[in-house]
Amino acid sequence: MRTNRIRTIAVAATALAAALSLTACGGEDKAMGTKPAGAVDTATPAATGTDDKAQSDAPKAGEPETQTVPAEGKHAGGNGNGKKPETAPNGKAAPSIPACTPKNSTVKVSSVSRPINHLLLTVTNTGSTDCAAYYAPFLRFDDAQAVYPVLDDSKPQAVVTLSPGQEAYAGISLLGEPGQNEPVKSDNLGVIMVDKNNESKGESTLKLPAETYTDSLGFVTYWQSDVENALMF
């Protein structure tokens, strides 16, 4: 009996030791963060929300990328419309050039061989500073109440500026197609210079070449920097 009791105690001790060993291993697994094979982790990392937002903001396959455009008026160096005001080097508004007028220039009219039925108008800066030949001259033949038509297609890319002694030119077409209108003989020509606002700055009266005839289909060009441009229309 004593021997059987000893064996029973030994078996119980062995079972207890095994149980303690399993408990210790389970505690160690938990402490080390290990999981049984096939287990699913349901914990959500703290940064998961940030990652989800970044992924939701990213374009999906097949969708075009879009960019955010800055609000109008916030461009560096702008003034609200994306443009910079035109200023002189000293930061002030660039001054306009004075118009060529009868006070600082002279005008003459002359015949030309080509093209036919044309005259050439020439303005010369006789002053001591620059002047600008703005727009086109207003012309009046004799006592006409209306000014001569201006050819819009002859407008140059920039206003012609004349240094002292320099010239600008305007072509005068006297007649339209033959037989369309009755030509009228003219003896005198009034030439009105204008300023940057296209307002009159004085009139010069010139004697026209002999046998000058005009009709209502003629025109005058804008002031040009060379003769060829003035007579090409």
Side-chain angles (χ1 to χ4, degrees):
M1 293 291 294
R2 180 178 178 84
T3 302
N4 291 337
R5 185 177 181 183
I6 292 173
R7 287 178 178 176
T8 301
I9 294 173
V11 171
T14 301
L16 179 60
L20 291 175
S21 176
L22 289 173
T23 302
C25 290
E28 184 179 357
D29 289 346
K30 185 175 181 180
M32 295 176 63
T34 57
K35 306 179 184 66
V40 178
D41 187 4
T42 57
T44 301
T48 300
T50 304
D51 293 340
D52 289 344
K53 185 178 186 305
Q55 292 177 3
S56 63
D57 290 342
K60 298 179 180 178
E63 292 184 356
E65 290 189 31
T66 57
Q67 295 180 345
T68 302
V69 180
E72 185 177 358
K74 294 185 178 181
H75 300 287
N79 60 357
N81 58 6
K83 297 181 179 180
K84 294 182 179 180
E86 294 184 3
T87 57
N90 58 5
K92 298 181 180 179
S96 60
I97 300 174
C100 297
T101 71
K103 294 182 179 180
N104 59 14
S105 60
T106 58
V107 183
K108 68 177 182 178
V109 61
S110 55
S111 301
V112 293
S113 58
R114 290 287 186 275
I116 61 172
N117 299 322
H118 276 65
L119 297 176
L120 179 66
L121 205 60
T122 304
V123 59
T124 304
N125 182 353
T126 57
S128 58
T129 59
D130 291 354
C131 70
Y134 289 106
Y135 298 97
F138 292 159
L139 303 184
R140 289 193 299 186
F141 287 88
D142 289 335
D143 297 326
Q145 297 300 311
V147 296
Y148 212 51
V150 174
L151 183 64
D152 288 338
D153 289 345
S154 65
K155 185 177 181 180
Q157 293 184 346
V159 175
V160 181
T161 301
L162 305 179
S163 298
Q166 287 188 325
E167 298 176 340
Y169 311 91
I172 304 173
S173 174
L174 298 171
L175 302 170
E177 294 296 328
Q180 289 184 320
N181 285 277
E182 185 67 26
V184 177
K185 188 177 183 295
S186 299
D187 297 317
N188 300 295
L189 179 66
V191 180
I192 302 172
M193 303 296 293
V194 299
D195 60 13
K196 66 177 182 177
N197 298 317
N198 207 18
E199 297 180 354
S200 172
K201 298 302 293 182
E203 181 175 2
S204 301
T205 302
L206 309 176
K207 187 70 175 178
L208 285 166
E211 303 299 316
T212 296
Y213 288 84
T214 64
D215 65 22
S216 60
L217 298 179
F219 58 80
V220 61
T221 70
Y222 278 71
W223 290 112
Q224 311 290 330
S225 59
D226 58 71
V227 175
E228 289 76 13
N229 287 342
L231 296 176
M232 68 180 292
F233 299 97

